Amino acid sequence: MLIINRLFVYSESEKKYFDAEFSEGLNIISGRNTSGKSTLFLAINYTFGINDFNTQLKAILNFKPVFRLDCTMKIGATTQSLILIREDDTLLVEQGDLPVKRFNGINANHSAEHVKLKEYFHTLFDFHLDLETQNEYKAAPIEVIFLPYFISQKVGWVYMRKSFSSLDFFRNFKNDYLDYYLGIENNTEREKRKKIELQLKAISEEIRFLERAETTNEDFQISKLSDEEYSKHSTDYIQVYSEQLMELTALENEYVLKCNELGFLIERLSVLRKVSRNHKLQDPEIGDCPVCKQSLPHPVSATYKHLQEENDTNTEIARYRAKIKDVQGLINSLNKKIKEKKQIIEDAYRIVSRYTNTEHSFESWLNNKANLKLSENVSKNIGDLVLQQNRLKEELKNYKTAEEVEQIRKQKNYEFEKIFVQYRTDLETVDELDENRFTKLYDITAFPSDGVELHKTIMAYHFAFNKLIKSTENIHRLPFMLDAIFKEDIEAYNKTVILKFIAKNKPDDTQTILSIAEKSDHEKVVNEYNATYFNNQGKVILIGGGVNVKSFLTDYKGQEDRYLKETLGYILNN
């Protein structure tokens, strides 16, 4: 389970910041429309490396801010801190007492660094969902880890599974997504079953077409290498094998050099950042006499020299950051080439290794001759393949069949419908939804309602799905984040109904973060909501003091200098 403790955003160039601490229970975000409530939710997602909302965050990102999230991870009885700091396309992660992990160049979702970040979060949250794309399964994006727990203001109250926009191109996404979060069949089981089925198909093909073994079976190829007539072929084979090993060694040497270069660049960037920070404290325009405190006169040339040095330092910082990104890309490319080269050597030249280690004798010579004639060993190979086939068929019985999966889905449909109908009753919805396509979880694609009725129906859906997920064993649990619970033009009575519903049905095992917009006197109204419906147990966070618009970032006047210094220290020293 993840708990968000604090969100801190700071722009050094604009001297603006945002700072909010959260409670482990309910958190109520309030402020005027366009004040920045949605920005808070998007900033949390952005700090986790999600780029889906970069366009919506453009006004904030133009200030080149640093985002920091302080979190707590609870796994069973153990508790561990988690700190994430994102600056543009770089993300630093400190997990407990482990060394800080650095990911450079994560702004593109398909970059090697973003893929590494995705793998890290899969491990961190014990997340094992693969999704099908272009006829192969790949690890699900980071967005899917957060999808059940985030309802966005823009589309989350209209469509299911649409709070993030980059998930539509996955094949069979809805069923794979629901199956995983409801514990019906995870991708590991599905992949193992698929692998066994493919093995069975391959074995059947080999049994039927064993006559082709001369070109596909390793024993026959080794026999060719051992036979006198093929000695030149053997020598050529080994020569190519040696050349591949030399190329691999060269790639590995280049990889080591580039890693050393990256370390130097990161250290150089750290020094430049420190120089830049210290340089700002040596401005000649603010120089005072240490005795009388009067301003010291300074020539124009000194001021010009100071500004020129500052510009040079900033230029160097930008240049080294670009170099770090480029070198990281080269490292990732070399790493990929090394893996590919190793695979070539392992696959294509396994035969050479086996041949080299074969003891030559009169008996082995006779066996080789027999293999070449496709005589004595054919029947034995068929017998071995039949034994493998029978073993795989038995192993396949350990996995759910398509019929068994469908039966479990029907049971989950029933469980969801029971909760969903009750929640719609609690929300006093009036639209009749009698068809399966509006009440069965696996059948729902959209609802026929609109306006306030649609808003309340979608709310019932998200809360019911969250409750159903809770009963899944070993599933990760994240804060339930609901942006704009009064999204529609909702009158006072329905606001009361919604607040009572949330108070009664919010998750009791996770943090809840929700936002509310009111037309006037936000602080007073939200505090009344907190007292009346939540027994003052909610933590109220006002954006823009409940008065100003576009006020997510406010002027920084040294309020959190120690915390800011610690945050910048992570960047400077890692």
Side-chain angles (χ1 to χ4, degrees), residues 90-111:
T90 299
L91 180 64
L92 304 175
V93 183
E94 182 183 71
Q95 179 185 349
D97 296 328
L98 297 176
V100 174
K101 287 185 174 292
R102 181 187 182 101
F103 301 89
N104 301 305
I106 64 169
N107 280 354
N109 287 348
H110 299 293
S111 70

Side-chain angles (χ1 to χ4, degrees), residues 157-316:
W157 298 108
V158 180
Y159 305 104
M160 282 67 67
R161 301 174 295 278
K162 298 290 186 181
S163 287
F164 300 100
S165 63
S166 58
L167 306 175
D168 291 336
F169 63 89
F170 290 106
R171 186 180 178 187
N172 299 320
F173 175 75
K174 182 178 74 172
N175 285 351
D176 288 345
Y177 167 77
L178 295 177
D179 284 351
Y180 179 81
Y181 276 100
L182 300 182
I184 295 175
E185 184 182 41
N186 62 41
N187 65 288
T188 303
E189 292 175 335
R190 184 169 60 246
E191 282 293 283
K192 286 182 178 178
R193 186 184 69 197
K194 185 176 180 180
K195 184 177 180 180
I196 292 173
E197 291 171 347
L198 290 174
Q199 286 177 311
L200 280 171
K201 182 179 179 181
I203 288 174
S204 298
E205 289 288 331
E206 193 167 358
I207 290 173
R208 286 197 299 268
F209 304 104
L210 193 59
E211 292 79 7
R212 301 179 183 177
E214 186 177 12
T215 57
T216 60
N217 189 286
E218 288 186 1
D219 289 334
F220 295 148
Q221 294 181 49
I222 294 169
S223 296
K224 284 186 177 183
L225 291 174
S226 302
D227 196 77
E228 304 90 346
E229 296 179 13
Y230 294 93
S231 59
K232 184 179 185 303
H233 176 66
S234 302
T235 303
D236 293 342
Y237 217 58
I238 294 172
Q239 177 64 31
V240 176
Y241 175 72
S242 300
E243 291 173 357
Q244 291 284 355
L245 282 177
M246 291 176 65
E247 292 176 12
L248 174 61
T249 301
L251 286 171
E252 289 175 336
N253 289 338
E254 187 177 357
Y255 179 85
V256 171
L257 291 174
K258 288 300 176 184
C259 286
N260 291 338
E261 183 179 352
L262 179 62
F264 167 79
L265 290 173
I266 291 174
E267 184 64 27
R268 177 60 177 163
L269 178 60
S270 175
V271 172
L272 286 170
R273 293 294 296 266
K274 292 175 182 177
V275 169
S276 176
R277 189 155 183 82
N278 291 332
H279 195 268
K280 295 181 185 298
L281 302 178
Q282 300 172 359
D283 190 344
E285 293 184 358
I286 60 173
D288 294 331
C289 174
V291 178
C292 65
K293 305 301 181 181
Q294 292 184 1
S295 297
L296 295 174
H298 56 276
V300 174
S301 59
T303 302
Y304 175 81
K305 182 175 182 296
H306 175 84
L307 295 175
Q308 184 62 44
E309 289 174 350
E310 182 177 14
N311 290 336
D312 290 344
T313 302
N314 291 336
T315 301
E316 282 294 286

Side-chain angles (χ1 to χ4, degrees), residues 49-103:
I50 294 174
N51 297 312
D52 200 59
F53 308 111
N54 288 12
T55 301
Q56 293 170 252
L57 286 170
K58 184 177 180 181
I60 302 295
L61 296 180
N62 284 340
F63 293 162
K64 304 297 181 184
V66 174
F67 295 78
R68 172 173 173 172
L69 270 179
D70 287 75
C71 308
T72 300
M73 292 283 295
K74 291 186 177 181
I75 305 173
T78 64
T79 298
Q80 190 177 59
S81 65
L82 180 69
I83 298 175
L84 302 101
I85 299 175
R86 180 168 182 179
E87 183 186 30
D88 192 20
D89 61 354
T90 299
L91 180 64
L92 304 175
V93 183
E94 182 183 71
Q95 179 185 349
D97 296 328
L98 297 176
V100 174
K101 287 185 174 292
R102 181 187 182 101
F103 301 89

Side-chain angles (χ1 to χ4, degrees), residues 349-395:
Y349 298 98
R350 187 188 305 111
I351 297 165
V352 174
S353 177
R354 288 184 58 186
Y355 163 68
T356 303
N357 294 324
T358 300
E359 293 183 4
H360 297 281
S361 64
F362 180 74
E363 182 179 356
S364 65
W365 178 83
L366 286 177
N367 285 333
N368 290 336
K369 289 295 184 182
N371 285 334
L372 289 171
K373 294 178 181 179
L374 295 174
S375 57
E376 296 177 5
N377 290 339
V378 170
S379 296
K380 178 179 181 299
N381 288 341
I382 292 176
D384 290 342
L385 290 171
V386 169
L387 289 175
Q388 291 182 47
Q389 188 180 52
N390 292 335
R391 177 179 58 79
L392 290 172
K393 286 180 178 178
E394 286 297 316
E395 190 175 344

Side-chain angles (χ1 to χ4, degrees), residues 390-420:
N390 292 335
R391 177 179 58 79
L392 290 172
K393 286 180 178 178
E394 286 297 316
E395 190 175 344
L396 194 60
K397 293 179 181 179
N398 296 326
Y399 299 94
K400 300 183 184 75
T401 64
E403 293 75 16
E404 289 171 332
V405 170
E406 192 59 35
Q407 190 60 38
I408 300 175
R409 286 176 179 173
K410 288 180 179 179
Q411 176 61 30
K412 293 296 182 179
N413 270 338
Y414 170 77
E415 294 175 17
F416 173 83
E417 183 178 31
K418 186 177 180 181
I419 302 170
F420 179 58

Side-chain angles (χ1 to χ4, degrees), residues 521-539:
D521 208 355
H522 301 269
E523 186 171 7
K524 179 181 178 182
V525 174
V526 172
N527 284 331
E528 288 177 355
Y529 288 158
N530 191 24
T532 304
Y533 303 105
F534 303 111
N535 296 320
N536 282 323
Q537 294 180 355
K539 172 71 180 295

